Amino acid sequence: MVEKTQIMDQKAMLRAITRISFEIIEHNKGASNLYIIGIMTRGAELAQRVAKKISELEGTTVEVGYLDVTAYRDDKRSGEERQDRTDLPFSIEGKQIILVDDVIYTGRTVRAAMDAILQRGRAKSIQLAALIDRGHRELPIRADYVGKNLPTSRDEFVKVSVEERDGEDQVTICIETDE
């Protein structure tokens, strides 16, 4: 896989996260009863950043959890065993949940995340924030908050890098090579 073009640098990602945070606050009329859940892997780091920004803006603590959706994927191979790395230090019951993911593509990861959340309780609402929306849905799912809409071809791959995991913040479009 080779990088084709950089779409967002560190500053652009910060601006997108700030905008998403403001939109979440505005739509929910504040931060009370808001709980942020990041879809692993890079959605977890982005969720932490959104929660921190909302906390700074609202002067309150917003709790963050992490969701491993591997067991809920409809494309998971049978017999494949993985440890569930989910960490939800709060009850889902009656909460306004903001799911955070790095890229929304077919919608299958988000569907798996909703299944995982609903198995743990009945949330008041579930909203979705994605840093990148690249289109090509296979399911009728859309993000409520989007950092950047990025139309892509199915041959392209959107790579989100976060400093905590990858050493730098950036979003790039990559393509497969035959080499």
Side-chain angles (χ1 to χ4, degrees):
M1 192 168 314
V2 64
E3 183 179 310
K4 181 178 169 183
T5 230
Q6 184 182 57
I7 301 302
M8 297 175 101
D9 60 10
Q10 182 179 22
K11 287 182 180 181
M13 283 179 66
L14 177 60
R15 284 191 302 271
I17 289 166
T18 300
R19 186 173 56 258
I20 287 169
S21 300
F22 272 109
E23 289 175 4
I24 289 169
I25 292 167
E26 184 176 331
H27 182 264
N28 292 285
K29 297 176 178 55
S32 65
N33 205 33
L34 277 186
Y35 293 78
I36 311 288
I37 299 177
I39 300 173
M40 293 180 153
T41 56
R42 284 163 185 79
E45 284 85 10
L46 296 172
Q48 192 66 46
R49 293 179 191 187
V50 168
K52 182 179 178 189
K53 181 55 76 175
I54 291 172
S55 294
E56 288 171 4
L57 294 168
E58 290 293 292
T60 184
T61 301
V62 177
E63 288 192 61
V64 181
Y66 311 106
L67 193 60
D68 182 353
V69 300
T70 306
Y72 297 88
R73 298 283 311 198
D74 62 3
D75 55 358
K76 180 180 178 254
R77 294 180 187 96
S78 62
E80 184 178 325
E81 291 296 322
R82 289 191 54 163
Q83 181 181 357
D84 183 2
R85 300 173 296 152
T86 296
D87 179 17
L88 296 176
F90 47 83
S91 167
I92 299 296
E93 289 295 324
K95 306 294 191 315
Q96 289 178 220
I97 303 297
I98 310 294
L99 268 177
V100 178
D101 204 3
D102 56 349
V103 179
I104 183 169
Y105 179 39
T106 63
R108 293 188 180 279
T109 299
V110 175
R111 187 218 41 92
M114 289 190 298
D115 286 350
I117 288 171
L118 294 172
Q119 189 176 55
R120 289 169 167 84
R122 186 170 179 1
K124 180 178 180 182
S125 69
I126 300 174
Q127 299 165 41
L128 175 63
L131 182 64
I132 302 293
D133 184 341
R134 64 172 289 195
H136 304 287
R137 291 299 180 281
E138 294 174 2
L139 300 172
I141 292 172
R142 70 167 182 81
D144 299 286
Y145 315 101
V146 176
K148 185 170 189 67
N149 286 294
L150 184 63
T152 60
S153 76
R154 290 193 182 270
D155 298 332
E156 295 172 320
F157 176 77
V158 176
K159 181 181 176 193
V160 175
S161 299
V162 291
E163 186 173 352
E164 300 89 335
R165 186 173 294 277
D166 308 302
E168 65 182 335
D169 284 343
Q170 70 173 353
V171 176
T172 56
I173 293 180
C174 300
I175 55 173
E176 291 286 335
T177 59
D178 295 332
E179 299 172 12

